[in-house]
Amino acid sequence: MENSKKVVVAVDAHGGDNAPACVLEGVKLAVNKDPNLYVELFGDKDAIESFCTQNDKVNANFTTKILKMSDDPELVIKRQFADCSIVQACKAVKNNQAQAFFSAGSTGACAAAASVIIRRFANIKRPCIISALPSPKGSTILADMGANPDCSPENLLQFGQMASLYAQNICGIQNPKIGLLSNGEEDCKGNSFTKETHALLCEKLDGFKGNAESPNIIDGSFDIVLADGFCGNIALKAIEGTSKMLMSEIKSSLMSSLKSKIGALLIKNSLYSLKEKMSDDIGGAILLGVQGVVVIGHGNSKAKNISDGILTSAKMARSNLINKMNEEFGKR
């Protein structure tokens, strides 16, 4: 997506385990990389004032409350936390002060604040969290990744419709192939929920190709894999854990002897390419179903991840995705 259009991203300075220092460094990287990106930074005055005065592309918005990762996510809708950075950043999007919101804070808190303040589209029953996972053919979009542990078949139908619009407008995937996560590819496989959902998707979801088994999330068989948030989150964390374990074992094996170290030098460039492909260059998960761009980073994000998440937010804000979703889901 072209970055010639000015865009403003509201950023939560206190989101994540390494905030605020890591967030500030990520903001600096992002605005330096994108010449037309500006940031409205929300946080404690002592934490952000000095940084903002040194960068004319970053505007400080002081808040008095900080929502910790360990706090109940529902606090963001309570009056006593109305002046926390997450809430105020969402209000900036609602009031057109910014075109997108990014935070590496509590996923539940960000989703709750966005749903209440930015608000869902009229015909969306529940927003969902998605991300594009690397595959041999490019990427596979997983929806939902944890926003909705308990779902109805109708919820998954809407997740599929929203993910399809994302695939077309952000990833450039026309006519995406969509699968339903199950314990076998045959139509008869699954529990009562997946069987009921399968029947509904066959009837009403364009591009639905049937059940997807867990390896299909990363093998390129589908462009989109649908799941309830409970199963989707478990699948995601299993993939993340396996990836980290494999990279650690490869590194350990290559450093185990002089001979293997020499071999490691010979394949160093290939290993870097593999690591780059497996890394997250989106910088976070996307909340679909609300009337604005919302990107939620991982809690342990480093500065580069923060930067990637802000740049992804800007990319989505410059796209036509929100308008397309409004056409599809904005009118009752």
Side-chain angles (χ1 to χ4, degrees):
M1 184 70 61
E2 293 291 333
N3 63 357
S4 58
K5 180 181 177 182
K6 177 183 175 180
V7 68
V8 180
V9 178
V11 176
D12 166 23
H14 299 288
D17 302 332
N18 305 304
C22 180
V23 176
L24 301 186
E25 182 61 26
V27 168
K28 182 178 179 180
L29 291 172
V31 296
N32 286 342
K33 188 170 184 178
D34 185 332
N36 291 304
L37 168 65
Y38 294 80
V39 167
E40 293 287 337
L41 189 62
F42 292 80
D44 179 75
K45 181 176 182 179
D46 292 340
I48 70 172
E49 184 176 32
S50 177
F51 172 81
C52 293
T53 58
Q54 298 172 37
N55 197 317
D56 59 7
K57 295 178 70 181
V58 184
N59 184 50
N61 298 265
F62 303 133
T63 58
T64 59
K65 296 286 186 179
I66 297 174
L67 190 76
K68 300 175 183 177
M69 295 289 281
S70 57
D71 287 336
D72 182 352
E74 293 299 320
L75 285 174
V76 293
I77 62 175
K78 304 294 184 181
R79 181 174 297 178
Q80 63 266 37
F81 272 86
D83 196 41
C84 78
S85 51
I86 290 175
V87 170
Q88 291 301 315
C90 284
K91 285 184 177 180
V93 177
K94 175 66 175 178
N95 298 330
N96 297 316
Q97 181 185 354
Q99 288 80 57
F101 163 55
F102 173 80
S103 173
S106 163
T107 299
C110 291
S115 296
V116 171
I117 297 167
I118 303 174
R119 302 188 68 83
R120 290 177 285 119
F121 287 109
N123 289 313
I124 292 296
K125 294 182 178 180
R126 294 187 183 184
C128 72
I129 296 176
I130 72 163
S131 190
L133 305 177
S135 79
K137 297 181 181 179
S139 61
T140 301
I141 297 164
L142 178 62
D144 177 30
M145 290 172 37
N148 305 282
D150 297 302
C151 293
S152 69
E154 290 76 15
N155 292 148
L156 264 71
L157 171 62
Q158 290 194 332
F159 297 167
Q161 292 167 336
M162 290 190 290
S164 183
L165 285 174
Y166 175 85
Q168 294 172 55
N169 288 272
I170 302 298
C171 303
I173 305 171
Q174 300 304 316
N175 303 313
K177 295 171 59 178
I178 305 173
L180 172 66
L181 187 63
S182 188
N183 64 335
E185 63 180 16
E186 298 84 2
D187 294 356
C188 61
K189 291 292 182 69
N191 54 23
S192 57
F193 169 72
T194 55
K195 290 177 182 177
E196 184 179 350
T197 302
H198 186 282
L200 179 66
L201 299 183
C202 281
E203 179 184 353
K204 294 189 175 182
L205 183 60
D206 292 341
F208 181 62
K209 304 300 181 183
N211 285 341
E213 297 183 277
S214 51
N216 298 144
I217 298 174
I218 55 173
D219 70 4
S221 298
F222 295 90
D223 299 307
I224 299 168
V225 173
L226 302 177
D228 61 80
F230 181 78
C231 293
N233 190 261
I234 290 174
L236 174 68
K237 289 177 178 176
I239 292 169
E240 290 177 339
T242 302
S243 174
K244 290 178 181 178
M245 184 273 292
L246 285 175
M247 294 303 295
S248 177
E249 288 298 311
I250 290 172
K251 182 177 179 180
S252 177
S253 296
L254 291 174
M255 295 294 105
S256 63
S257 67
L258 177 60
K259 185 176 180 180
S260 63
K261 289 178 181 178
I262 294 172
L265 288 173
L266 297 174
I267 61 171
K268 181 175 67 174
N269 291 338
S270 296
L271 289 175
Y272 278 130
S273 296
L274 175 62
K275 184 178 180 181
E276 186 71 21
K277 184 173 183 179
M278 295 177 69
S279 67
D280 172 22
D281 62 355
I282 295 176
I286 318 298
L287 183 68
L288 294 181
V290 295
Q291 300 176 50
V293 173
V294 176
V295 179
I296 307 170
H298 203 290
N300 66 1
S301 292
K302 304 297 188 293
K304 182 184 182 303
N305 306 122
I306 298 292
S307 174
D308 288 340
I310 296 170
L311 292 170
T312 294
S313 303
K315 176 182 178 180
M316 289 186 61
R318 290 182 175 116
S319 76
N320 200 35
L321 179 63
I322 298 301
N323 289 335
K324 289 284 188 182
M325 288 203 167
N326 188 50
E327 292 173 5
E328 189 75 21
F329 305 110
K331 299 177 181 179
R332 294 195 182 278

